[in-house]
């Protein structure tokens, strides 16, 4: 056993050496009387155990231990302190500093010394093992098991520490938060296994282009985060976000499947946007939310007005939640007139929220309901009340043929919709053929099987399907051919321009001729003047709707 004996007292050293030599084991002993030399030797040579006197001239033994541990991280040397004082405080101080054992000078005997040396070595080994497993557990606890990226805990720590040390004049701590667009659909259609593998592939692919990031973490689900501390200019930030977006252009090959997926990125900067980690995360989230709302597959830097917009939406959402519970809504009905018969043949049901504080405009709060998924309970309420309302309207106007209900794209993805309509029809004894479901073209854009199935099921149930707001978006002929569409509603914007512009008139009559030829009925929306009505008549429009006839009204005013 290789031993370094550190003591400034020659007599004491001699006593220790004598005891060692009388023992059964062989010891290779090196002596020194100074802390300085001891440190130097420890750096250059290997010793199994250091026998270290507490009382040394330049520094005491504890200081030496601390210095030694700080300077050399990888060491296999056990330390035994020796002292002539047996104060408990002193013993604890030595052990806390990292010594493995403590020996009183007066107790030193050959047997005691050799036992202490063996115990100290053994204790050192155990402590090292404990430390190593602690280190492994810590590492595991800070890594995301699925992707091997940092987890939320490590991310939070790193963000805080990056912000703390961001003192540079023109430097930013840049936080990117991104998540995959429509990941839920991928999970639903391919299964969670493939979903998990996709997350792994995304982590791998993005890792290769963000090598200079401080941390790349998976925060949970399909949400990832990146922290950069080396950007001084916004251009660099936009370049890296573009690189990330571009990396999603190539499909991911996952378990033999080619999966196309994009991501939406939100970016916030310290100190420009937020002062602390919490603020920065919130603002990057808001920016990501904005990226999603503006069509996804894009990146947004946080701007102050986003917060205003975000809070408005948030307030609407909070109010909506309560309103759904309290059923604070009512339906208004607007007549749809047969242009030839001059007769009201149906009513469109339109939601109203009279006591809303933040926003009463249906298109705005419906879009918040869609984003927050509150559209499902709200949509159910609308269906139930529209069908119930139809029974009352028909008592007043026996010639009424149908009621129309606006249905959101989200509702169209689930067969629950068909069930809800069938149940409500039964409950109020209304034939499904008395219902027209109004859907917008954007609902058909994703071209997914679920929507197609739901529309076909509604068709089979006997409901008619009307394509709303035609002429504003894509106005795609393929939608008319691929889905069971019975009616098209020409958007108010086409009607608005028709008095002034020949082009608008030409489009209206052209569309009517085309739609007629494939057996689709045409409703013109937003008729406000006699002149607009005349144009519709000349264009072969079948039905008209608008303030010219009546504004939407509650049941009791019809
Ligand atoms: P939309 O389905 O295109 O409804 C027609 C909108 O035009 C209604 O606005 C109606 O009040 C308005 N309008 C009708 N005739 C005229 C007119 O001559 N001049 C003018 N200026 N406007 C006219 P509203 O009720 O504010 O609804 C706006 C949008 O909100 C609706 O557009 C629809 O997308 C959505 N929405 C309303 N109710 C519901 C609902 O129950 N469910 C769903 N999912 N969406 C709804
Ligand atoms: Ca409508
Ligand atoms: Ca419309």
């Amino acid at each position: 056993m290789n031993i370094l004996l550190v003591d400034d007292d020659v007599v004491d050293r001699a006593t220790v050496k004598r005891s060692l030599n009388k023992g059964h084991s062989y010891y290779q002993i090196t002596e020194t009387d100074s802390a300085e030399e001891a440190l130097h030797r420890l750096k250059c040579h290997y010793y199994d155990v250091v026998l270290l006197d507490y009382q040394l001239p330049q520094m005491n033994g504890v200081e030496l231990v601390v210095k030694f541990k700080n300077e050399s991280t990888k060491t296999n040397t056990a330390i035994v302190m020796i002292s002539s004082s047996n104060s408990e405080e002193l013993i604890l101080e030595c052990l806390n500093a990292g010594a493995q054992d403590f020996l009183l000078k007066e107790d030193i005997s050959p047997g005691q010394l050799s036992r202490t040396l063996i115990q100290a070595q053994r204790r050192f080994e155990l402590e090292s093992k404990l430390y190593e497993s602690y280190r492994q557990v810590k590492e595991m606890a800070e890594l995301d098991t699925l992707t091997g990226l940092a987890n939320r805990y490590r991310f939070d720590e790193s963000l805080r520490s990056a912000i703390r040390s961001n003192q540079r004049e023109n430097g930013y701590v840049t936080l990117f938060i991104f998540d995959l667009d429509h990941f839920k659909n991928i999970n639903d259609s391919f299964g969670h296994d493939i979903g998990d593998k996709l997350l792994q592939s995304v982590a791998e692919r993005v890792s290769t282009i963000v090598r200079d990031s401080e941390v790349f973490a998976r925060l949970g689900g399909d949400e990832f985060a990146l922290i950069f501390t080396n950007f001084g200019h916004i251009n660099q930030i936009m370049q890296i976000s573009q690189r990330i977006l571009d990396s999603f252009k190539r499909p991911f090959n996952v378990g033999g499947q080619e999966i196309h997926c994009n991501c939406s990125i939100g970016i916030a900067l310290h100190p420009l946007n937020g002062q602390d980690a919490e603020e920065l995360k919130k603002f990057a989230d808001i920016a990501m939310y904005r990226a999603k709302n503006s069509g996804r597959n894009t990146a947004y830097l946080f701007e102050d007005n986003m917060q205003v917009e975000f809070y408005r939406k948030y307030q609407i959402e909070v109010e909506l939640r309560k309103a759904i519970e309290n059923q604070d809504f009512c339906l208004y009905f607007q007549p749809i007139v047969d242009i030839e018969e001059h007769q009201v043949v149906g009513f469109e049901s339109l939601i109203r929220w009279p006591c809303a504080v933040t926003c009463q405009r249906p298109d705005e709060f419906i879009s918040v309901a869609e984003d927050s998924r509150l559209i499902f309970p709200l949509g159910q309420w609308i269906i139930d009340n529209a069908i119930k309302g139809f029974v009352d309207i028909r008592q007043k106007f026996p010639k009424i043929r149908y009621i129309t209900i606006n249905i959101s794209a989200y509702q169209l993805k689930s067969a629950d919709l068909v069930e809800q309509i069938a149940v409500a029809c039964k409950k109020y004894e209304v034939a499904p053929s008395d219902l027209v479901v109004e859907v917008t073209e954007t609902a058909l854009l994703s071209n997914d099987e679920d929507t197609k199935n739901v529309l076909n099921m509604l068709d089979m149930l006997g409901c008619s399907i009307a394509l709303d707001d035609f002429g504003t978006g894509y106005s795609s002929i393929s939608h008319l051919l691929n889905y069971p569409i019975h009616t098209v509603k020409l958007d108010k914007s086409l009607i608005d321009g028709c008095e002034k512009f020949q082009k608008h008139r030409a489009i209206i009559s052209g569309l009517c001729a085309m739609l007629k030829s494939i057996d689709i009925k045409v409703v013109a929306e937003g008729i406000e003047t006699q002149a607009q009505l005349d144009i519709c008549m000349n264009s072969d429009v079948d039905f008209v709707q608008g303030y010219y006839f009546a504004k939407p009204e509650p049941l009791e005013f019809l």
Side-chain angles (χ1 to χ4, degrees), residues 334 348 350-352 362-363 366 382 406 408 468-469 492 525-528 546-547 552:
Q334 188 180 31
E348 174 171 7
L350 293 155
I351 191 161
R352 294 293 178 265
D363 42 358
I366 287 283
I382 293 169
N406 290 286
S408 129
D468 208 352
D469 304 344
K492 181 172 179 302
E525 274 192 311
I527 304 290
E528 291 181 348
Y547 292 177

Side-chain angles (χ1 to χ4, degrees), residues 184-185 188 373 375-376 380 383 407-421 437 443 448-458:
K184 195 183 166 304
N185 290 356
D188 290 348
R373 304 291 186 266
I375 193 65
F376 294 108
Q380 162 110 56
I383 289 167
I407 297 290
S408 129
Y410 291 85
Q411 291 171 279
L412 277 181
K413 285 194 195 302
S414 154
D416 289 352
L417 174 71
V418 188
E419 169 89 14
Q420 285 167 9
I421 290 180
V437 169
D448 62 307
E449 282 303 307
D450 292 337
T451 302
K452 204 177 254 179
N453 287 340
V454 169
L455 284 174
N456 283 328
M457 281 157 84
L458 286 173

Side-chain angles (χ1 to χ4, degrees), residues 110-141:
Q112 172 70 302
L113 198 52
S114 73
R115 271 199 304 279
T116 304
L117 289 176
I118 291 170
Q119 276 170 10
Q121 264 196 306
R122 184 77 189 119
R123 205 169 285 159
F124 182 82
E125 271 168 35
L126 291 175
E127 279 174 14
S128 305
K129 272 190 194 150
L130 201 67
Y131 178 74
E132 180 55 20
S133 62
Y134 159 77
R135 209 188 49 73
Q136 277 174 3
V137 168
K138 184 164 152 42
E139 192 172 289
M140 258 154 57

